Amino acid sequence: IISRYNKKELGFLSKMMLQKKIRFKDDAGNELTVTPGSIWGYSENRIVYINFKGSFNRVPIIGSICHFTAKVETYTEMYDPYYGYSQGMPGSEIRQFILDIETGNAMEYTIDNLQTILRRDKGLYSEFDALKKRKKKNSMFIFLRKYNENHPVYFGAE
């Protein structure tokens, strides 16, 4: 990476992701430029960050199913009885998401989305599916971790 910042400084990559453009040299020595928005994610100080909806979010649970939280824009419909119309009020909230490593899809952390991934493991799926809805909701993290234990992900080192 070509930068005026000290590359050994803590948070170097985080600072780079705030720039409009990032310049770097490829293996052949060619200088290239990318925008942070085009970067899938990065790892800094053994922490992985994913670019989700335009901001980089920490991924604390890494596995076949990754879990992370992200701030998302929301609009709340408000009905004004005086004027007789509804108006969207912008806001934001923190929501939970999962990333399916096999497909690359990031989706909301819901029972249905987790269950879709669990279908790949017949034993875990049938165990999860047999639970009542309330117990499913309370057991989601347990089954996410069980799935990750049964289906480990390996990253090559260069």
Side-chain angles (χ1 to χ4, degrees):
I1 296 177
I2 302 165
S3 171
R4 61 186 165 100
Y5 297 118
N6 180 355
K7 293 176 187 161
K8 294 181 181 169
E9 188 177 311
L10 191 65
F12 168 73
L13 286 174
S14 297
K15 286 181 184 174
M16 293 306 299
M17 295 306 140
L18 297 174
Q19 304 301 307
K20 289 183 180 179
K21 294 186 178 185
I22 300 171
R23 292 182 355 206
F24 66 97
K25 289 188 179 182
D26 66 11
D27 292 339
N30 301 315
E31 192 172 306
L32 303 170
T33 303
V34 295
T35 60
S38 68
I39 296 172
W40 181 88
Y42 67 95
S43 175
E44 183 172 52
N45 302 319
R46 301 185 67 132
I47 299 169
V48 174
Y49 296 86
I50 184 174
N51 183 355
F52 184 73
K53 298 194 183 250
S55 67
F56 289 91
N57 302 278
R58 184 178 182 182
V59 183
I61 297 177
I62 307 270
S64 291
I65 306 172
C66 299
H67 178 273
F68 65 99
T69 58
K71 190 177 192 178
V72 295
E73 303 238 348
T74 59
Y75 289 91
T76 306
E77 289 292 320
M78 307 254 324
Y79 179 73
D80 186 336
Y82 185 74
Y83 291 106
Y85 65 88
S86 58
Q87 177 178 347
M89 298 296 291
S92 64
E93 61 185 47
I94 302 289
R95 290 194 184 156
Q96 297 182 68
F97 295 90
I98 51 177
L99 171 67
D100 179 359
I101 290 293
E102 186 174 309
T103 64
N105 293 333
M107 59 199 95
E108 283 207 52
Y109 184 52
T110 64
I111 291 171
D112 290 339
N113 288 336
L114 180 62
Q115 203 159 353
T116 298
I117 299 171
L118 291 177
R119 280 190 175 99
R120 297 180 200 144
D121 184 313
K122 292 186 188 331
L124 279 180
Y125 174 74
S126 61
E127 187 180 341
F128 187 74
D129 193 47
L131 299 174
K132 294 190 185 290
K133 188 172 183 174
R134 184 179 186 96
K135 185 70 172 164
K136 280 182 185 177
K137 186 157 183 66
N138 293 335
S139 301
M140 288 173 69
F141 269 112
I142 294 167
F143 280 86
L144 184 148
R145 290 187 187 274
K146 283 182 177 183
Y147 187 89
N148 285 343
E149 287 172 11
N150 291 354
H151 306 274
V153 172
Y154 298 99
F155 298 99
E158 290 186 35

